[in-house]
Amino acid sequence: MKIATWNINSVRARVDRLVAWLKAQAPDVLCLQELKCTNEQFPRAEIEACGYRAEVFGQKTYNGVAILSRAEVGDVQRGLNDGVDDDEARLISATFNGVHLIGLYAPNGQEVGSPAYAYKLEWYARLTRVLEQRYQSDQALLLCGDFNVAPDDLDVWDPRYFADKTLFTRPEREAFKKLRDSLGLVDAWRTLHPDLKAFSWWDYRLLAFPKNTGLRIDHFLLTPSLMARCKASEIDREARKGKQPSDHAPVWVELT
DNA sequence: ATGACGTGAGTATCACGA
C-alpha cells in the first residue's frame, strides 16, 4: 500500500500535473495540502476520471486539504474538532485499510513573534492534545502533510542561516518533537535515510531548486507498529522540475 | 545582498507562502 502527501500550492493551477502524477505513481492514497479553493471549486471530475475518489475540506483562497484514494475511506473528519473556534481548513482524517490517516497542513508562522507564529505553536499544542485524547500508540496511525517544521540540522540546507528563522526556530522544533513524542511517532523518511540531506520544499526565488537550497518540511509520522510495516519512503524530486511546479515535492511511504 | 517568484482576489496591488 502506497500512501503519498503533496502540498500542491493550488490544485486548480496544477490539475494536469496532479493527474499525470497519479497515473505515473499510482498511490493508493494521496493527501493534498494548499488546495486554495472551496469544495465547489475542487476539480473533482478530473480526479474521478483517473480512478480516484476525493474527500475535500476546502476554503476560499487559502489552505484547504483533501484525501484522494482509489477505494472508499471511512470515518472522515474535517478539522481538529477540539472545541476551539477555528475556520482554517488544515486537517482531514479518515480510515483506510485499517490505518488511521491524518492529512495536515500546519500553519506557516510568518515572522517569529507575529500572531501567525503564536497561532502555529498553539495549533501544534492543540493537535498534540487531540492525538493524546483520541489515539493510542499501539494503533496503526499515520500523520502526513506539510508540517512547516524542519526537525533537524540535516533537514535545512544551511542550519546557521536558518537558526532564528521561521520553520527552524527552537520553539517550532520543540512543538514538533512534542507532537512526535506524544504517541512515540516515528519520522518514516528519516528512519529509512538516517544520514541523508534531502529536501521537500524549495523557494521559487533565487534559483533555489537548481541550487538545492531547500528544507525538508513534508513528513510522515507513524506509530511504531505501522513503522514496522514501512519498508520504503522517498521524496519525488522529479515532480518539482519543469514548468509551473508546486514549490513542494511529493513524499510517499510504502507499507506492507 | 542567502538578492525575489507564484497564486488568488480582482483589475492595481496586496496578502500570503516558507
Side-chain angles (χ1 to χ4, degrees), chain A residues 20 26 37 40 67 78 94 103 133 140 149 172 176 186 189 214 234 244 251-252:
Chain A
C37 69
E40 293 72 27
I67 298 178
R78 291 166 173 80
Q133 285 166 6
V149 173
E172 288 165 275
F176 181 82
V186 177
W189 185 90
E234 299 295 339
Q244 295 182 306
V251 185
W252 54 262

Side-chain angles (χ1 to χ4, degrees), chain A residues 216-233:
Chain A
R216 193 176 70 93
I217 54 178
D218 299 271
H219 307 298
F220 276 88
L221 298 183
L222 277 56
T223 46
S225 61
L226 202 52
M227 188 64 214
R229 294 167 52 190
C230 179
K231 303 305 179 194
S233 176

Side-chain angles (χ1 to χ4, degrees), chain A residues 75-95:
Chain A
D75 191 27
V76 178
Q77 289 195 55
R78 291 166 173 80
L80 278 168
N81 298 322
D82 62 348
V84 175
D85 184 22
D86 184 348
D87 52 10
E88 300 201 9
R90 296 186 174 278
L91 187 143
I92 185 166
S93 61
T95 56

Side-chain angles (χ1 to χ4, degrees), chain A residues 104 106 121 124-125 128 145-152 155 167 170-182 185-187 216-221:
Chain A
L104 63 89
L121 296 178
Y124 260 94
T128 303
D146 177 357
F147 287 76
N148 267 318
V149 173
D152 208 343
D155 303 313
L167 315 187
R170 187 173 295 277
E172 288 165 275
R173 292 157 71 190
E174 282 175 356
F176 181 82
K177 186 173 189 302
K178 269 190 184 173
L179 174 69
R180 246 181 16 197
D181 291 350
S182 65
L185 301 170
V186 177
D187 179 339
R216 193 176 70 93
I217 54 178
D218 299 271
H219 307 298
F220 276 88
L221 298 183

Side-chain angles (χ1 to χ4, degrees), chain A residues 6 8-23 30 32 35 41-50 68 244:
Chain A
W6 194 7
I8 197 159
N9 186 18
S10 171
V11 69
R12 288 180 296 168
R14 261 171 277 289
V15 65
D16 292 346
R17 266 186 182 264
L18 172 58
V19 167
W21 195 84
L22 286 171
K23 287 179 175 168
L30 171 61
L32 291 173
L35 304 177
Q41 294 168 321
F42 185 83
R44 182 172 292 279
E46 292 91 330
I47 305 295
E48 290 177 350
C50 59
L68 313 189
Q244 295 182 306

Side-chain angles (χ1 to χ4, degrees), chain A residues 93-168:
Chain A
S93 61
T95 56
F96 181 81
N97 268 358
V99 178
H100 297 267
L101 300 169
I102 298 178
L104 63 89
Y105 173 48
N108 165 288
Q110 297 180 2
E111 300 303 320
V112 176
S114 67
Y117 184 81
Y119 171 69
K120 179 179 192 173
L121 296 178
E122 182 54 33
W123 192 89
Y124 260 94
R126 289 168 56 200
L127 177 56
T128 303
R129 280 196 293 274
V130 163
L131 289 192
E132 287 170 344
Q133 285 166 6
R134 297 182 197 163
Y135 300 95
Q136 307 286 332
S137 57
D138 59 358
Q139 284 181 301
L141 172 68
L142 178 157
L143 283 73
C144 68
D146 177 357
F147 287 76
N148 267 318
V149 173
D152 208 343
D153 283 1
L154 268 181
D155 303 313
V156 180
W157 67 276
D158 184 348
R160 284 185 305 171
Y161 173 71
F162 268 92
D164 55 353
K165 302 272 191 297
T166 321
L167 315 187
F168 196 59

